Amino acid sequence: MQGFKWPLHFIDFETSAVAIPFNERRRPYEVVAFQFSHHVVYEDGRIEHVDEYLNTDVGVFPNFEFVRRLKASLENDEGTVFRYATHENTVLNQIKVQLENSVEEIPDRIKLIEWIRTLTRDSKTGWQGHRDMVDLCDLVKKYYFQLDMGGSNSIKKVLPAILNSSDFLKEKYSRPIYNSQNFQNQAWIEFDADGRVKDPYKQLPPVFSDVSQDDLEHVETEEMLADGGAAMTAYARLQFSDVPEVERMATCQALLRYCELDTLGMVMIWEAWQDIISGR
């Protein structure tokens, strides 16, 4: 952890890969990156949700604008960038190929490709960018075990487990101190009747009202387990369905909150480790 470079960046993507493409001239099961969240931890201890992106336009292929926005959000310093598992690396490499193969006019094509290469690795070619993202899930596998994780390394299991075991997180986040565009005076720690910390994900409003989170939480995509299943289904509905504007706005807000909690969860895991190492 002493080798990480300040400020620390935590990013999470929401993606889709459907059989019937959302956009013309795209292929079945091609990755569509429609959302990201970005938290920063500064050396003085400040935590900020600095950026987010969500494509809300029907019929628009979002991947290239997605990378432009992500690049603008991350290129202002050389701080360490964290992902959780391999998904973000895989998605960026797939978008790089899409940029290389696209027949459309993309004025910043070369700049976007070169920037993606700084942040990623490619096992097939042996490439590793100078700012290759750090996999927080890999650090969990190597260095952190907690019985409440139940043998799972999913952030949906690791976060509740670490919240229950960290007095530092309990004290800090039981107070209504968290503020961002999507949350105001939010206290993330609530306790059940047995004194256990409630799962923060289960305290979020449903992504959409007529499909329960439990029905979607086991949806799988290649290389990751996702309550992102709810996010993928919600995005597909927004693209394919004639959704009333009120429902569209509510769904977008739920998606933004969900993705923000993913990167905040990564920050909380890092904070708990920092507290353990400091020996407080």
Side-chain angles (χ1 to χ4, degrees), residues 180-244:
S180 69
Q181 281 187 299
N182 303 307
F183 298 95
Q184 285 76 47
N185 301 319
Q186 176 77 19
W188 287 106
I189 300 291
E190 294 184 14
F191 297 94
D192 63 20
D194 297 321
R196 303 280 295 171
V197 175
K198 295 180 181 178
D199 185 344
Y201 285 98
K202 296 189 182 300
Q203 297 181 57
L204 291 175
V207 177
F208 33 76
S209 59
D210 59 333
V211 182
S212 72
Q213 190 77 14
D214 288 341
D215 289 339
L216 292 160
E217 65 181 3
H218 301 299
V219 174
E220 295 189 18
T221 61
E222 185 178 1
E223 298 193 65
M224 71 168 188
L225 279 172
D227 275 318
M232 287 187 290
T233 305
Y235 183 71
R237 178 176 292 191
L238 292 178
Q239 289 293 307
F240 280 139
S241 303
D242 186 13
V243 178

Side-chain angles (χ1 to χ4, degrees), residues 28-59:
Y29 302 111
E30 188 174 19
V31 67
V32 175
F34 61 86
Q35 182 178 10
F36 73 74
S37 173
H38 176 199
H39 267 89
V40 174
V41 177
Y42 299 96
E43 192 168 7
D44 63 5
R46 287 182 299 120
I47 295 169
E48 184 180 3
H49 187 238
V50 295
D51 204 7
E52 61 188 5
Y53 169 80
L54 174 63
N55 173 52
T56 59
D57 297 324
V58 177

Side-chain angles (χ1 to χ4, degrees), residues 55-150:
N55 173 52
T56 59
D57 297 324
V58 177
V60 172
F61 183 64
N63 288 19
F64 304 152
E65 182 60 23
F66 173 97
V67 171
R68 286 188 192 99
R69 288 284 301 273
L70 186 66
K71 177 175 179 290
S73 191
L74 288 170
E75 68 180 352
N76 298 314
D77 59 64
E78 288 294 310
T80 300
V81 180
F82 294 86
R83 52 182 166 86
Y84 201 94
T86 60
H87 184 61
E88 283 68 27
N89 186 76
T90 301
V91 169
L92 286 176
N93 279 328
Q94 290 176 339
I95 295 176
K96 179 175 72 70
V97 173
Q98 291 171 340
L99 283 163
E100 292 167 342
N101 295 337
S102 178
V103 298
E104 65 181 281
E105 184 67 27
I106 308 172
D108 55 350
R109 184 197 309 260
I110 300 302
K111 288 184 178 180
L112 294 178
I113 290 171
E114 290 177 348
W115 181 78
I116 288 173
R117 284 171 58 82
T118 68
L119 212 62
T120 57
R121 62 176 60 193
D122 188 336
S123 59
K124 293 180 181 178
T125 64
W127 172 261
Q128 184 172 355
H130 79 272
R131 202 184 175 193
D132 181 28
M133 294 175 286
V134 174
D135 183 356
L136 203 63
C137 183
D138 188 52
L139 297 180
V140 170
K141 292 175 183 177
K142 289 178 178 177
Y143 304 116
Y144 187 76
F145 179 80
Q146 220 271 12
L147 285 173
D148 287 344
M149 290 159 51

